[in-house]
Amino acid sequence: MKKTPRNFLRTMGISTFLLALTTTVVSAETDPGWGSHSPNINVPINNYNDTWRSPMDAAAVAWNGTPTKVTVGFLSSSPNKVLADSYQDTWYGLSSSANPGPFTIKLNSRTINRDASNFYNFVKSTLVHEYGHIFCLDHTTKTSIMNSNRDRNTMTTPQKFDIDEVNSVYK
């Protein structure tokens, strides 16, 4: 039997170790570096018409009704922004980092109007999702408001997975 040189085995061991380090699966469902350090956020009182205001207000209530420490409050002097406008991009909602803040959430009326079969639910789902980003949640493939492929016409509230993830951030 031929002996394998010790340096070869050492090199293979180190290579295997380094490969394991670079391929380790890291949970990407939360991102505390992106979201708010505080579980309590405030957004301005929105002045949109009732067609937009109702689902936008309901999105805040959806998070406030969860068994988590997070709350969405309304404060006229809030430096944060929640905007609904027509953007040429293809997204439904977009949020800027809340760390350090202030943050801006944009709702794309062009794509929402184009694709919603239930406008109220679609707007609510989109904004609940964007608030999820502010609460440190990232996209996932699980049953979650943070799943980009969810049915926005029917899934409008944080799911058990979302609640568990938020609770892992804000203990």
Side-chain angles (χ1 to χ4, degrees):
M1 176 149 74
K2 188 174 179 184
K3 286 188 172 185
T4 306
R6 202 178 312 181
N7 284 344
F8 175 76
L9 291 175
R10 185 178 308 140
T11 302
M12 288 306 293
I14 291 170
S15 297
T16 302
F17 175 73
L18 291 174
L19 181 63
L21 280 178
T22 59
T23 59
T24 302
V25 177
V26 177
S27 175
E29 270 97 31
T30 63
D31 188 357
W34 171 269
S36 173
H37 288 282
S38 171
N40 307 304
I41 62 169
N42 287 303
V43 296
I45 299 164
N46 87 59
N47 295 317
Y48 292 100
N49 63 40
D50 285 341
T51 303
W52 282 90
R53 183 180 316 120
S54 294
M56 290 169 78
D57 290 350
V61 172
W63 274 109
N64 293 344
T66 62
T68 65
K69 293 182 179 180
V70 301
T71 60
V72 179
F74 297 96
L75 184 65
S76 58
S77 61
S78 172
N80 303 311
K81 296 177 184 165
V82 179
L83 308 170
D85 204 347
S86 180
Y87 302 96
Q88 286 305 306
D89 299 299
T90 59
W91 44 263
Y92 299 115
L94 188 67
S95 55
S96 67
S97 175
N99 186 359
F103 63 84
T104 299
I105 295 174
K106 295 178 180 179
L107 302 176
N108 193 343
S109 64
R110 186 184 65 79
T111 55
I112 292 172
N113 282 314
R114 180 191 69 201
D115 296 340
S117 61
N118 182 319
F119 181 84
Y120 180 97
N121 284 357
F122 211 97
V123 171
K124 180 180 175 185
S125 178
T126 302
L127 188 51
V128 168
H129 173 95
E130 295 308 322
Y131 283 145
H133 286 307
I134 303 306
F135 292 131
C136 303
L137 298 183
D138 206 349
H139 292 134
T140 185
T141 57
K142 296 183 170 65
T143 301
S144 166
I145 200 71
M146 300 311 294
N147 186 325
S148 296
N149 295 318
R150 73 193 179 284
D151 183 347
R152 290 166 180 80
N153 293 295
T154 59
M155 184 183 289
T156 62
T157 59
Q159 304 297 295
K160 181 182 182 327
F161 178 79
D162 306 309
I163 292 164
D164 290 346
E165 290 297 294
V166 164
N167 283 333
S168 77
V169 174
Y170 303 107
K171 297 175 182 162

